[in-house]
Amino acid sequence: MLSRYIIRRLLLAVPMLLGISLALFLIYNLVQVDPLVMIVGERAMDNPEIVATATRQWGLDRPVWEQYLSYVGNLVRGDFGTSFLTRRPVLDDLLLFLPATMELAVSSLLFAAVVGIPLGVIAGLRYRSTLDKGVWFISLLNASLPPFWTGLIFLTVFYYFLGIAPGPGRLAPRIPTPERVTGLLTVDSLLAGNAEAFLSALHHLILPTLILGGFTLALVIRVTRAAIIEEMRKEYIRTARSKGMSERRVTVRHALRNVLIPLVTILGLAFAGLLSGAVMTETVFDWPGLGQYLVRAAVNLDYPAIQGGTLVIAIFYILVNLTVDILYGLLDPRVRDRDG
Amino acid sequence: MKKFAIMLLIGFIFVSLGTVAAQDNALIVATILDDVITLDPGRAFETTNLTIHHATYETLLEIHPDDLTTIVPGLAESYTISDDGLTYTFTLNPAAVFASGNPVTAEDVVFSWMRLKNIKGNPSFYADQIASVEATDAHTVTVTLTEAFPAFATVVTAPAMSILDSAVVREHGGTDAADADATDTANDWLSQNSAGSGPFILTGWSPETEITMVRNDNYWRGPAALSSVTLRSVNDATSALQLLERGDVDIYENVDKDLAQQIQANADLKLEVGQTLNITYLAISPSDTFGLPLSDVRVRQAIAYSVDFDGIINGLLSGFADRPASILPIGVQGSDPSARYERNLDQARALLADAGHADGFNMTIYVGSGAPGGIPSETLAAKIQADLAEVGITVDINQRPTSDFLTAFRASELPFLFSTWTPDYLDATMWSDYFSYAGRSVAGRILLDSAAIADLASQAAAETDQATRTQLYSQYQAAQVAEAVFVPLFQPQQLYALRSNVENFTFHPVYFLDFYTLGKS
């Protein structure tokens, strides 16, 4: 049953992605920018032979609808086109930049979940205590301080003045980058058996994770706390307590289980958001990720890159939503039964 | 206990890599690498590749930073030009060898230049004037040009004209055949490795991350002092400065001018200034198709007299710029800054009144999204807007993404704008070919149509006697100044911040850093 449900959802995603790609394609053709300016460069534009070769190579001599059809045809084969700016296949570019963002997003999500859920539970259980207020303050601080500001402050204090944290970037400049396998530096350095690079990569993750994960952390704390407060007031908790169940068991087995449902939604959306919304953190920490790539593509109207990046983010949102819905079913039998 | 262990672990991770010992003689440069598309000398046409190609390859002739108007021997120990200016004969230095150990021969020159030409890539226009290249013997190359082209010896010094080790490049799919644009497959290999005779060897390029080179121990002019050079991508200025101040990098390239004072105040660092040959210029269309008063030369001159050049250079560029009189930058043949416009509002008002615009008029300035010389375009546009307001000219600012701006500029749709020109080689034709002829290149885009300018440009370009040529270029400069279609705003300087132990810095306006001369004490 579940597999049919997944297939149905994935099939629904196809027209959605087609719509997105068509909209992007049309917008670009409305802008009326000559892509040759990007491709050939200022001076070579004066040489008709170079211009003719480039026009032919990039298919710019064909009508727009034909360009779109061949674009979609290529997409189906996994070819996202070639970036005007880097001249590399967009897919190669995305694979180049995505791992950096992925590494940061995963570590931020882990940080937010591992620290945020216990803090939220404690705050919710000790509703209105000093502890609760303290946790509330942390969450408020994280949610309201802009990451480009905290990022700069953290770098200046912990790297520049104290020298206990590493500087911007993913690896210390004097350490050679390990051979690229996955693009995740922590994994690649381990595969290469390079302990120095591994520690440096891990080390470089700490500050940006604190900053990027901070916002998600605040969200997780708030949602957990609010849900715990609400659940602990419910009838079934009173029943469980009256049966003589230990308070720990009441919280973990009963209340927390129900809290997980809103949490899964929040974490799922937060993960997709971390992938596409890390631009500020990536800029401050000079983190060569998807955010930096897309900003540069947008500034330079590098249309194949914008289109490819947007599609990848859309695909991520679709997959995350699907995963969240499946997890819902596993966590809440009511949802599962209704759909099944 | 568990908590304590976790805290200890976190503490350990924090401290364990706080400092990484600096390797002796390895140079780390913080720079921006986002322009690199390929490192194949036959295909690359960006900026960073020029520095890399200069370090890993060599050209037949060279121009050294201490004298930009003199051509000195490189791989060729001498050359002769036939009387009709069509045939160049180069004699190669027999001592020259590639990093592979192969000698540099005439065959390699033929291969390199024909490959450049036949790939039909962005830098192929360097070989436009070449009709044929022949190896007369192992150390003699004869080049025949399609027309007399006195700038050819200067073109030969451009990094795109580098000589490649033909045996090595062929081994990796390279070819100089007529259909090389379809059959040459050496691009990937040449982007990760080099096949040159320069003082360094390219060992890798990770896009947007780093470029690594090691010393060529067999360099025929004697090995470099540095054991290796790594260019690391650091996109943010604050990050770059912090890395430099902490000693994690040795050089920070392209320093923000705002940071200059901070660097000069730090005893561990030093600031080096490189004079570029780039020009940011105001372009004012003389065409009447726009229906603007600009078609009157007096109005264009009035604009030139209204701009507060000193305010731009001292206020917006912290003084790190020079200013030529015309599009020929200071340092180039025929350029003389004493003829430049200086701000004179009375003169500007008088010219406007003469032209029948005593009360001024309205127009729009079009700008891209970049930051010429480090000044954001919108800031520079606002400064010009304020300057022209003082003589009654009301200017609206129209800013667009650079690609959009260039599209419109190229289509001759913009009457008033500023833009920047960067050279690929140092002959005056690098400017006069592009800013002089009606319907061609930049002059065409702004609809300049002046017989006087075009005649002087073609006479100077064809002149082989250097003294006469200099004189023709000064007349050319005077004609450009009088026409006031291109008004240079500044010729920016490029700033480098170095750790104080980095020595023998030199700057070249085409390839920038020269790693061969650099050393660390």
Side-chain angles (χ1 to χ4, degrees):
Chain A
M1 284 320 249
L2 189 64
S3 60
R4 258 180 62 188
Y5 172 70
I6 294 175
I7 289 168
R8 202 176 69 213
R9 287 285 303 266
L10 286 178
L11 283 178
L12 273 173
V14 173
M16 199 142 80
L17 291 173
L18 267 179
I20 292 171
S21 75
L22 184 63
L24 284 167
F25 201 87
L26 291 179
I27 289 170
Y28 187 73
N29 277 288
L30 283 178
V31 178
Q32 291 284 334
V33 167
D34 184 355
L36 278 177
V37 177
M38 296 290 313
I39 296 166
V40 176
E42 278 240 50
R43 227 150 286 160
M45 272 308 263
D46 293 329
N47 183 330
E49 202 176 340
I50 294 175
V51 170
T53 310
T55 309
R56 201 176 53 249
Q57 271 174 2
W58 291 77
L60 296 169
D61 47 351
R62 293 183 295 161
V64 175
W65 62 269
E66 207 180 309
Q67 288 182 34
Y68 179 68
L69 283 186
S70 78
Y71 179 76
V72 172
N74 289 337
L75 269 187
V76 174
R77 288 193 297 274
D79 175 359
F80 280 64
T82 306
S83 159
F84 293 157
L85 212 55
T86 64
R87 304 300 153 84
R88 289 186 294 267
V90 172
L91 195 63
D92 288 7
D93 271 354
L94 292 173
L95 291 176
L96 188 71
F97 285 91
L98 197 59
T101 302
M102 194 73 96
E103 204 165 35
L104 188 54
V106 168
S107 79
S108 298
L109 195 72
L110 277 178
F111 165 68
V114 169
V115 177
I117 295 176
L119 279 183
V121 170
I122 293 168
L125 290 178
R126 309 222 179 135
Y127 182 43
R128 284 192 176 159
S129 68
T130 320
L131 192 79
D132 177 30
K133 283 175 191 150
V135 170
W136 183 250
F137 182 70
I138 294 176
S139 117
L140 194 70
L141 211 61
N142 271 314
S144 43
L145 289 177
F148 60 86
W149 185 79
T150 36
L152 281 176
I153 297 292
F154 272 39
L155 268 179
T156 308
V157 172
F158 295 111
Y159 169 63
Y160 185 65
F161 286 120
L162 299 177
I164 52 169
R170 295 177 73 194
L171 204 60
R174 286 185 204 280
I175 296 179
T177 312
E179 196 192 340
R180 188 187 175 86
V181 183
T182 61
L184 304 165
L185 277 184
T186 44
V187 177
D188 287 356
S189 53
L190 280 183
L191 289 177
N194 184 342
E196 193 189 25
F198 174 70
L199 281 177
S200 181
L202 211 57
H203 206 199
H204 277 78
L205 270 169
I206 296 173
L207 288 186
T209 297
L210 289 179
I211 302 295
L212 185 63
F215 189 79
T216 316
L217 174 74
L219 208 65
V220 169
I221 290 177
R222 282 165 177 228
V223 170
T224 316
R225 176 179 171 277
I228 284 280
I229 291 170
E230 199 188 320
E231 291 301 320
M232 294 309 278
R233 285 182 184 146
K234 285 193 176 158
E235 293 286 320
Y236 75 95
I237 297 287
R238 202 190 305 165
T239 313
R241 280 181 179 148
S242 64
K243 284 197 296 191
M245 214 176 254
S246 76
E247 194 60 29
R248 188 191 169 90
R249 205 173 148 88
V250 169
T251 320
V252 175
R253 288 292 296 271
H254 289 266
L256 197 56
R257 206 171 158 166
N258 284 308
V259 170
L260 281 180
I261 294 171
L263 260 184
V264 162
T265 318
I266 293 292
L267 287 176
L269 287 177
F271 184 62
L274 286 174
L275 282 179
S276 58
V279 180
M280 285 294 180
T281 316
E282 286 183 3
T283 306
V284 172
F285 286 95
D286 215 65
W287 201 265
L290 194 62
Q292 274 199 6
Y293 179 68
L294 283 181
V295 166
R296 194 151 66 87
V299 168
N300 292 290
L301 287 177
D302 182 357
Y303 151 71
I306 300 173
Q307 177 133 350
T310 313
L311 281 178
V312 163
I313 289 174
I315 290 169
F316 260 103
Y317 267 99
I318 288 168
L319 288 181
V320 164
N321 267 322
L322 180 63
T323 316
V324 166
D325 286 352
I326 293 168
L327 283 176
Y328 261 13
L330 295 178
L331 290 170
D332 187 344
R334 286 169 302 181
V335 179
R336 186 168 57 216
D337 293 345
R338 199 175 54 221
D339 266 348
Chain B
M1 194 58 213
K2 214 190 217 168
K3 256 189 205 160
F4 180 71
I6 291 172
M7 293 294 281
L8 205 67
L9 186 72
I10 292 173
F12 169 73
I13 293 175
F14 249 97
V15 174
S16 62
L17 273 160
T19 48
V20 178
Q23 254 185 309
D24 288 352
N25 277 329
L27 187 83
I28 314 283
V29 182
T31 187
I32 294 178
L33 290 178
D34 66 5
D35 68 327
V36 184
I37 290 170
T38 163
L39 291 175
D40 178 345
R43 291 182 167 91
F45 193 55
E46 289 71 44
T47 306
T48 306
N49 63 276
L50 298 169
T51 308
I52 305 296
H53 288 154
H54 175 69
T56 51
Y57 294 88
E58 289 182 295
T59 46
L60 293 191
L61 302 171
E62 296 174 359
I63 291 177
H64 291 170
D66 48 8
D67 180 5
L68 297 178
T69 52
T70 303
I71 296 169
V72 297
L75 288 173
E77 54 185 13
S78 65
Y79 70 105
T80 57
I81 310 170
S82 66
D83 290 340
D84 59 5
L86 286 175
T87 309
Y88 283 65
T89 309
F90 298 93
T91 307
L92 302 185
N93 189 323
V97 286
F98 289 109
S100 63
N102 297 336
V104 178
T105 65
E107 275 306 324
D108 297 306
V109 178
V110 174
F111 174 82
S112 303
W113 291 359
M114 288 317 287
R115 179 173 181 268
L116 172 70
K117 190 176 174 71
N118 289 332
I119 279 178
K120 301 187 189 73
N122 288 344
S124 295
F125 71 92
Y126 284 100
D128 274 354
Q129 276 80 15
I130 298 179
S132 70
V133 195
E134 277 159 38
T136 319
D137 62 51
H139 291 107
T140 311
V141 184
T142 310
V143 182
T144 311
L145 303 182
T146 52
E147 55 183 330
F149 182 49
F152 186 68
T154 312
V155 170
V156 166
T157 68
M161 298 290 278
S162 293
I163 306 309
L164 282 63
D165 187 335
S166 59
V168 173
V169 177
R170 278 185 211 277
E171 213 174 287
H172 293 96
T175 171
D176 62 345
D179 59 352
D181 54 332
T183 53
D184 181 282
T185 55
N187 184 39
D188 287 349
W189 191 84
L190 284 172
S191 292
Q192 297 293 335
N193 307 272
S194 57
S197 58
F200 290 90
I201 302 168
L202 178 69
T203 50
W205 164 47
S206 317
E208 321 283 339
T209 310
E210 67 179 9
I211 293 173
T212 51
M213 295 181 279
V214 299
R215 176 170 54 208
N216 171 8
D217 288 323
N218 301 321
Y219 185 48
W220 63 284
R221 293 196 250 203
L226 297 171
S227 59
S228 70
V229 175
T230 303
L231 272 63
R232 292 288 304 216
S233 163
V234 181
N235 291 308
D236 180 67
T238 319
S239 298
L241 186 57
Q242 286 185 343
L243 288 165
L244 181 76
E245 290 188 310
R246 299 262 339 154
D248 284 337
V249 300
D250 302 305
I251 296 183
Y252 157 27
E253 191 173 20
N254 234 333
V255 175
D256 269 19
K257 298 188 168 72
D258 304 345
L259 299 175
Q261 279 192 328
Q262 198 180 332
I263 290 158
Q264 281 164 327
N266 187 331
D268 294 335
L269 309 181
K270 54 186 174 186
L271 187 74
E272 298 277 4
V273 178
Q275 180 61 61
T276 70
L277 292 181
N278 302 348
I279 282 194
T280 297
Y281 60 91
L282 211 52
I284 316 170
S285 177
S287 165
D288 44 24
T289 53
F290 298 105
L292 286 169
L294 303 178
S295 53
D296 188 323
V297 67
R298 289 169 295 188
V299 174
R300 298 199 298 277
Q301 289 171 345
I303 292 173
Y305 280 119
S306 309
V307 177
D308 174 18
F309 301 103
D310 293 343
I312 292 172
I313 290 176
N314 295 323
L316 300 178
L317 290 166
S318 311
F320 291 110
D322 211 330
R323 183 165 64 91
S326 77
I327 48 96
L328 294 177
I330 297 170
V332 168
Q333 194 168 30
S335 174
D336 174 10
S338 67
R340 66 194 181 190
Y341 284 95
E342 299 292 349
R343 190 173 209 212
N344 184 339
L345 294 179
D346 294 334
Q347 180 92 10
R349 289 191 188 102
L351 281 163
L352 280 176
D354 269 3
H357 296 283
D359 297 329
F361 58 93
N362 294 343
M363 64 173 168
T364 303
I365 188 166
Y366 295 85
V367 299
S369 50
I375 313 173
S377 287
E378 57 274 25
T379 309
L380 186 56
K383 171 67 179 155
I384 288 163
Q385 183 184 44
D387 290 350
L388 297 194
E390 290 191 45
V391 294
I393 303 175
T394 310
V395 177
D396 291 324
I397 298 172
N398 181 323
Q399 189 179 23
R400 317 160 164 205
T402 298
S403 44
D404 191 1
F405 164 79
L406 283 176
T407 304
F409 184 20
R410 198 178 294 286
S412 301
E413 289 166 1
L414 310 179
F416 186 51
L417 58 102
F418 56 76
S419 187
T420 299
W421 189 253
T422 48
D424 299 308
Y425 51 88
L426 300 176
D427 189 77
T429 48
M430 188 71 241
W431 292 269
S432 65
D433 274 1
Y434 299 91
F435 288 83
S436 310
Y437 304 109
R440 253 171 69 184
S441 195
V442 188
R445 293 176 208 165
I446 204 73
L447 301 170
L448 166 66
D449 188 356
S450 155
I453 290 177
D455 284 352
L456 283 167
S458 57
Q459 277 180 49
E463 181 57 55
T464 48
D465 177 69
Q466 291 308 314
T468 318
R469 199 171 191 244
T470 306
Q471 205 169 17
L472 282 168
Y473 271 120
S474 5
Q475 289 173 33
Y476 171 81
Q477 170 179 291
Q480 284 279 15
V481 170
E483 197 66 19
V485 165
F486 301 110
V487 180
L489 294 171
F490 49 83
Q491 183 179 338
Q493 289 159 349
Q494 192 150 314
L495 305 188
Y496 290 81
L498 282 65
R499 296 288 304 174
S500 47
N501 65 337
V502 179
E503 293 171 334
N504 299 327
F505 173 90
T506 52
F507 176 87
H508 191 282
V510 168
Y511 53 75
F512 315 112
L513 281 174
D514 189 347
F515 298 120
Y516 183 53
T517 61
L518 281 178
K520 281 168 85 174
S521 63

